Amino acid sequence: MSVNVIFGSDAGATKAVATRIAKHTNGRAIDIKAASVADFENCSLLILGSPTYGAGDLQTDWEAHLDKLQQARLTGKKVALFGTGDQVSYPDCFVDAMGVLYDLVVEQGATVVGFTATAGYDHTGSRAERDGQFVGLPLDQDNQSSKTEKRITEWVSRLS
Ligand SMILES: Cc1cc2nc3c(=O)[nH]c(=O)nc-3n(C[C@H](O)[C@H](O)[C@H](O)COP(=O)(O)O)c2cc1C
C-alpha cells in the first residue's frame, strides 16, 4: 500500500503528527505547499490533515492551495482524514476543518475510511461530526497529547 499524508500546519503541531502518521503507515508526509496534484492521485491511500483556525476554517496553506485538491481525480479513491484542534478553547468548533476536507473529498467521489467514535473527547460541537462520529481522527496536541500515540496506532490499524 502506498500512502501519501498531505498536511498544512501553521505552528508545527500538525506537521509533527503528519510525520508520525507517515511513519506508522510507511507513507510520505507532504506539506500542502509543496504537494502536486499527482501526490493526491498517485497513492493507494490518501491521508489529509489540517488544523482548524479562525471560526472553524481550514489552515491558510490549505486555503491557498485548495485548487490542487479540487483538480485531483478522487473518484473511488480511499481517503482518510485527521484534524488537529483544541477542544478546551474551541469546544463548539472542534476540528471543524476536518469536516471541511470531508465535504470536499466526498463531493469529488472519494470513499472516506477511518471514522472515529466521539468517546474520550470533550466538545460541544464540530463540523467534523456526522451521525455521531468524527469523519476522521481528531488529535488535540494542546490538551491530550499523551493520548496521540495510541490514537494514531488504533486509527491506522483500521485504515487498511
Ligand atoms: C487563533 C487560533 C484559532 C483556533 N481555532 C480553532 C478552532 O476553531 N477549532 C479547533 O479545534 N482548534 C482551533 N485552534 C487550535 C489549533 O487548531 C491547534 O492548536 C492546532 O494543533 C494547531 O496546529 P498547527 O501547530 O499545525 O498550526 C485555534 C488556534 C489558534 C491559535
Side-chain angles (χ1 to χ4, degrees):
M1 186 167 71
S2 65
V3 179
N4 283 349
V5 183
I6 301 179
F7 67 90
S9 183
D10 270 21
T14 314
K15 181 179 182 171
V17 295
T19 304
R20 287 164 75 174
I21 290 169
K23 208 169 266 180
H24 279 264
T25 54
N26 285 321
R28 220 158 49 98
I30 307 166
D31 193 310
I32 180 61
K33 286 186 285 190
S36 65
V37 174
D39 290 329
F40 286 86
E41 297 176 343
N42 297 342
C43 50
S44 52
L45 171 64
L46 175 64
I47 301 181
L48 305 178
S50 175
T52 299
Y53 278 102
D57 298 330
L58 275 176
Q59 187 261 352
T60 50
D61 296 321
W62 267 111
E63 299 270 13
H65 295 267
L66 208 54
D67 56 322
K68 296 174 184 173
L69 169 61
Q70 287 167 327
Q71 280 168 33
R73 284 163 301 177
L74 299 182
T75 308
K77 185 155 208 81
K78 194 157 84 164
V79 175
L81 306 167
F82 70 96
T84 39
D86 176 345
Q87 65 203 289
V88 173
S89 304
Y90 305 93
D92 58 344
C93 47
F94 179 51
V95 296
D96 267 19
M98 189 163 70
V100 176
L101 289 175
Y102 176 78
D103 288 336
L104 288 167
V105 299
V106 166
E107 197 173 299
Q108 286 170 250
T111 301
V112 178
V113 296
F115 278 49
T116 301
T118 57
Y121 299 94
D122 190 12
H123 65 295
T124 52
S126 174
R127 189 175 164 181
E129 225 181 290
R130 304 293 151 94
D131 298 327
Q133 281 195 304
F134 286 112
V135 296
L137 179 67
L139 295 170
D140 186 339
Q141 296 304 92
D142 297 282
N143 308 290
Q144 294 184 332
S145 62
S146 64
K147 298 191 174 186
T148 294
E149 189 61 23
K150 201 168 162 209
R151 282 175 169 163
I152 291 175
T153 307
E154 189 277 328
W155 184 64
V156 164
S157 76
R158 294 190 282 114
L159 299 182
S160 51

